[in-house]
Amino acid sequence: MTALPIRGPVRIIGIDPGLRRTGWGVIEAEGNRLIYVACGSVEPPNDLPLSNRLLAIHEGLAAVLSNHQPVEAAVEQTFVNKDGVATLKLGQARGVAMLAPAMFGISVAEYAPNQVKKTVVGAGHAEKAQIAMMLKILLPKADPPSADAADALAIAITHAHHRQSTALRLKVAGL
């Protein structure tokens, strides 16, 4: 009988894309244990043209990925609202948020906003204050500087809880 290899912690980055502020949060998951590593946001100047803001987001995320070296990434899916132009611009930021980890060879999972809220809080329509309260319980050492960084940590937690089923879906799909 051979012993199974001991699995170490998995470093995960969660990314909450936005043109004004793209939140990021890095955790380590080891079984059911979650460990806070770091969080913050990339904030390009508002007066830059869209292309330069997207470049700034990419460069900021690339620096975070280089510094913290996660092995898995999760990005929040775009919430479609009534303003089509704003939704399209947010989609461009989301594309950059998915491209940056992919360029580092990191697989990227996607989660709907309601799934993130349900995973972290237990209700799909939770408020930001409820997410912040649960983060204090799940990651007591975390002190996110913004709601975007808190959301990014919630996305990383969601991935930690759902990563096995996400990997299985990708394997079945042949990806």
Side-chain angles (χ1 to χ4, degrees):
M1 188 167 144
T2 58
L4 294 172
I6 298 173
R7 290 181 139 179
V10 176
R11 190 165 280 204
I12 301 167
I13 185 168
I15 303 172
D16 182 30
L19 282 171
R20 291 184 184 160
R21 191 177 357 226
T22 293
W24 59 269
V26 180
I27 63 169
E28 286 187 354
E30 188 169 17
N32 290 332
R33 187 171 158 214
L34 300 175
I35 303 158
Y36 169 75
V37 175
C39 69
S41 58
V42 177
E43 301 178 33
N46 287 333
D47 60 346
L48 289 179
L50 179 60
S51 59
N52 293 74
R53 291 170 81 182
L54 294 170
L55 176 62
I57 292 167
H58 181 269
E59 290 173 342
L61 288 175
V64 170
L65 292 162
S66 181
N67 289 339
H68 296 289
Q69 300 183 340
V71 295
E72 295 179 14
V75 176
E76 189 171 67
Q77 293 174 344
T78 302
F79 173 76
V80 180
N81 58 28
K82 293 178 184 178
D83 184 356
V85 173
T87 301
L88 286 172
K89 286 182 180 178
L90 179 57
Q92 291 170 333
R94 187 171 171 275
V96 169
M98 293 179 73
L99 174 67
M103 289 182 73
F104 279 77
I106 301 169
S107 64
V108 181
E110 302 173 63
Y111 297 97
N114 285 350
Q115 185 178 10
V116 173
K117 292 173 184 176
K118 185 165 183 145
T119 300
V120 175
V121 178
H125 297 286
E127 300 292 325
K128 294 219 183 255
Q130 290 173 298
I131 292 171
M133 186 184 319
M134 283 306 297
L135 283 178
K136 289 179 185 178
I137 295 167
L138 297 170
L139 300 170
K141 293 183 179 178
D143 188 19
S146 68
D148 302 285
D151 287 349
L153 286 170
I155 295 162
I157 291 169
T158 299
H159 183 66
H161 286 287
H162 296 284
R163 61 188 291 272
Q164 298 294 13
S165 61
T166 299
L168 180 61
R169 276 195 308 274
L170 290 174
K171 188 174 183 179
V172 169
L175 299 177

